[in-house]
Amino acid sequence: MAFSLRLVSPKSLSCIPTPKVFSLGFFTQLAPAFYSTHIVGDSPILVRDFIHSALYDPDHGYFSKQSSSVGVLDQTIKFHNLQGRKAYMKHLDNIYKQHDVSWFTPVELFKPWYAHGIAEAILRTANLSVPLKIYEIGGGSGTCAKGIMDYMMLNAPTRVYNSMTYTSVEISPALAKKQLETVAEVGSHLSKFNVECRDATDRSGWGTEELPCWVIMLEVLDNLPHDLIYTENQVSPWKEVWVQKQHDRSELSELFKPVQDPLITKCMDLLDLDKDQKTQGSSTILAAKNVWAKLLPKPKRCWLPTGCLELLEVLHGALPKMSLIASDFSYLPDVRILGDRAPLVSTKKDGCSKDHNSYLDAKGDADIFFPTDFGLLERMEHYCSGWVNPDLDKSTKKGKKRRTIMLDTSSFMEEFGMPTKTRTKDGYNPLLDDFKNTKFYLSVPTHNTK
C-alpha cells in the first residue's frame, strides 16, 4: 500500500493523518517564506543551482532556516518495554509532541544500535594495520559519530580506538556546533573528533589523503542537487532544463537549452540515454519513428543526480583509498512531480506535510528529496574511481577497482547490527519492518587492477 510505503520514510512520518506528530509552534517561529523567485536573478540558472539555493542558501535555505528540524532524543527508546507497533507509534507521537521537530533520523530513533551496526561493518572491513580514519558528511546532530566512537571504545582493540580520528564535514554551522556538544558527552572522544564546517563538494577543502579511510553518508544523497533534462518526443534530442523568471517577475518558468553542461553530459553517458539515437538503424526505420513521434509524441523528463556525481568525483580525487558506506531512500511513494527519479517536495504545516506538484514551489520552507538509484550510484562511483569509462567497451576494462554491495536496511542490520535491541514484546521490529524503502551501499577498494 502506498500509505505504508510512505510511512516507512523517516522524513514523511508527518503524513500520518491521526494523530498529528508535529505542533504548530514550530512553524510560527519561522521567518516569512523566502519566495523561490528570489533565488533566480536576471539570468536563468540550471535546475541543480535552483535546488541548491532552495535547500542550502545561508540565509533562506531550508536547512539553514530549519537547523532545529532534525531532532535529538533525550534517551534511548526502550523497545522491549513496548507491546508492539501500535504502542511504538503512540510513543513516537509523544516524542514528536515533546520535541517540536520536523523529523528524527533512523540513527536517532534507534540509537545507539543503528550507529553500532555501521561501526561493526567498518570494524569487520577496515584495514586495522593503519590508524582508523573516518569522515562523515552531513553528520546531523552528531549521534552517529558518538555511537560509532562509543562502539570502537568498547569493542575495538584499544590501539584502534586510541589512534582513530573522526572528522565531520558539515555545511550547517548550527549542526556543527551541536555535533561537538553531542560527542563531548564522552570526554575521551573529543581529542579524536573534529568538525569542518564547509561544503563537501568543494575540492579545495579536502586536501589529499593517501591512506585508507572511511566515508559515511546517511541520508545525504537524497538532498543533493539534481539536474533535469527533457525531450518533447521519442526522437528529439534531450535538452537541459534551466529556471528563469517570467516577464511579470512573480513566477518562475522553465527554459530548455541544448545539452552542453559537462556534469549533465557525464550523467547521460553513464545512463546511456542517447542509446536510441545512436542505434536508430536504417533511414526507413528512422523515418517511421519520426512519423510516429509526430502522431503520438511522448514528452519525457529525467532527473539526473549530478550533485552526487560531483561529490563522488571530489571524494575519489581527494581520498583515492576510501571505503564508502551510504544509506538512503531507494524509492519514494506518492511522488507528484513528473520524471524518472523525480523528488518529493514537501512543506510541513499544522502538523502534517503538504506535497507540492512542482519543484518550483520550493520557497526555503520545503524539503526536496530524491530517491537513490543504487545501480546508477554504483556506475557513477566506478566511473569516478577510474575503473569505468562509458566511452569504452567493457572488454577493454582492467580489473575491478571497487567491491560493492547493496543491502536492504533490514538485511544490513541483521548482518552487522543487533536487531534484538529494537524488537518489541510481540516481535514487531520497526527498524527491520518499517524501513522497506531504504538501502545501504558499501564500497571498498581492491587491488585487482590487472
Side-chain angles (χ1 to χ4, degrees):
M1 293 174 60
F3 177 80
S4 63
L5 295 176
R6 180 74 182 271
L7 178 63
V8 300
S9 77
K11 291 188 179 180
S12 51
L13 284 169
S14 58
C15 69
I16 306 172
T18 305
K20 294 180 179 179
V21 294
F22 309 107
S23 72
L24 182 59
F26 173 73
F27 299 96
T28 58
Q29 300 171 13
L30 293 179
F34 176 65
Y35 290 97
S36 53
T37 50
H38 298 174
I39 296 174
V40 183
D42 294 331
S43 300
I45 59 175
L46 282 165
V47 170
R48 70 167 178 266
D49 296 323
F50 174 83
I51 292 175
H52 187 276
S53 295
L55 292 177
Y56 301 111
D57 181 274
D59 298 316
H60 304 289
Y62 177 76
F63 288 108
S64 301
K65 284 177 30 175
Q66 306 196 49
S67 60
S68 61
S69 59
V70 181
V72 180
L73 291 180
D74 299 325
Q75 57 186 354
T76 298
I77 297 176
K78 304 278 194 297
F79 293 94
H80 63 274
N81 289 338
L82 300 174
Q83 180 59 40
R85 189 177 193 276
K86 185 177 180 180
Y88 167 72
M89 295 306 296
K90 182 178 180 180
H91 183 71
L92 198 60
D93 173 43
N94 292 333
I95 289 174
Y96 273 102
K97 288 179 178 177
Q98 293 168 10
H99 289 79
D100 259 357
V101 297
S102 294
W103 70 78
F104 288 97
T105 59
V107 75
E108 193 70 37
L109 287 175
F110 304 105
K111 72 178 181 184
W113 318 116
Y114 196 92
H116 285 186
I118 295 170
E120 175 63 19
I122 292 173
L123 199 56
R124 288 193 205 175
T125 313
N127 178 3
L128 299 181
S129 65
V130 297
L132 178 61
K133 183 168 289 191
I134 299 174
Y135 295 93
E136 184 180 2
I137 297 174
S141 62
T143 297
C144 181
K146 181 181 179 298
I148 288 177
M149 296 181 80
D150 286 347
Y151 190 86
M152 296 302 177
M153 180 176 66
L154 296 172
N155 296 280
T158 302
R159 62 177 176 80
V160 172
Y161 173 73
N162 289 340
S163 63
M164 76 174 292
T165 58
Y166 198 114
T167 301
S168 174
V169 180
E170 176 58 59
I171 199 170
S172 167
L175 289 176
K177 180 182 178 182
K178 180 60 183 176
Q179 290 169 24
L180 282 171
E181 294 172 353
T182 300
V183 173
E185 293 174 11
V186 178
S188 61
H189 291 349
L190 271 180
S191 62
K192 304 166 178 58
F193 183 75
N194 180 46
V195 178
E196 298 178 0
C197 194
R198 59 183 175 85
D199 186 346
T201 61
D202 184 354
R203 178 65 177 85
S204 64
W206 283 99
T208 302
E209 174 58 67
E210 296 293 344
L211 293 176
C213 62
W214 275 87
V215 174
I216 300 172
M217 296 190 293
L218 305 181
E219 288 191 339
V220 169
L221 301 175
D222 64 290
N223 284 128
L224 289 178
H226 283 53
D227 271 294
L228 178 61
I229 56 175
Y230 169 83
T231 181
E232 60 187 13
N233 56 50
Q234 300 91 311
V235 295
S236 295
W238 289 97
K239 293 184 178 180
E240 57 191 36
V241 181
W242 293 61
V243 180
Q244 64 178 355
K245 286 185 179 179
Q246 292 187 10
H247 296 302
D248 61 8
R249 319 295 284 179
S250 63
E251 298 292 337
L252 296 175
S253 62
E254 294 180 334
L255 175 66
F256 307 110
K257 297 184 179 183
V259 174
Q260 293 182 326
D261 180 75
L263 274 174
I264 292 177
T265 301
K266 287 179 185 177
C267 265
M268 291 180 65
D269 288 343
L270 288 165
L271 279 167
D272 204 10
L273 288 176
D274 287 329
K275 180 179 180 180
D276 290 340
Q277 281 82 359
K278 295 175 183 176
T279 59
Q280 292 281 356
S282 68
S283 58
T284 303
I285 296 176
L286 179 58
K289 288 186 175 181
N290 283 327
V291 171
W292 186 256
K294 290 179 180 178
L295 291 174
L296 292 172
K298 291 184 179 179
K300 187 174 182 180
R301 288 169 172 257
C302 182
W303 291 87
L304 303 176
T306 46
C308 177
L309 178 59
E310 183 179 28
L311 178 58
L312 289 174
E313 286 186 318
V314 167
L315 291 176
H316 277 286
L319 313 170
K321 295 183 180 179
M322 76 162 183
S323 295
L324 174 65
I325 182 167
S327 176
D328 230 302
F329 303 103
S330 55
Y331 60 89
L332 295 171
D334 305 325
V335 175
R336 299 181 179 183
I337 296 172
L338 298 177
D340 297 338
R341 294 175 294 276
L344 276 171
V345 179
S346 182
T347 300
K348 295 178 177 63
K349 186 177 181 181
D350 295 340
C352 285
S353 63
K354 173 189 175 183
D355 293 344
H356 297 279
N357 294 323
S358 171
Y359 67 95
L360 296 177
D361 292 336
K363 302 172 182 177
D365 60 350
D367 192 3
I368 307 171
F369 53 107
F370 295 81
T372 295
D373 182 336
F374 281 84
L376 177 56
L377 173 64
E378 183 182 49
R379 292 199 297 277
M380 289 194 300
E381 206 218 344
H382 285 164
Y383 166 78
C384 293
S385 71
W387 177 57
V388 169
N389 185 335
D391 295 327
L392 297 179
D393 183 79
K394 289 184 178 181
S395 62
T396 65
K397 296 176 187 175
K398 295 183 179 180
K400 196 169 186 177
K401 285 188 175 182
R402 308 289 297 179
R403 185 169 69 252
T404 57
I405 185 172
M406 288 163 269
L407 295 170
D408 293 335
T409 295
S410 58
S411 298
F412 178 89
M413 288 301 169
E414 286 173 339
E415 176 66 28
F416 299 109
M418 290 173 275
T420 57
K421 300 293 187 180
T422 55
R423 185 180 298 156
T424 62
K425 291 180 179 179
D426 67 0
Y428 164 70
N429 192 324
L431 179 56
L432 303 185
D433 298 337
D434 283 357
F435 288 76
K436 299 297 186 182
N437 63 337
T438 61
K439 290 181 183 290
F440 273 85
Y441 176 84
L442 288 82
S443 171
V444 298
T446 71
H447 302 289
N448 179 26
T449 56
K450 294 182 178 180

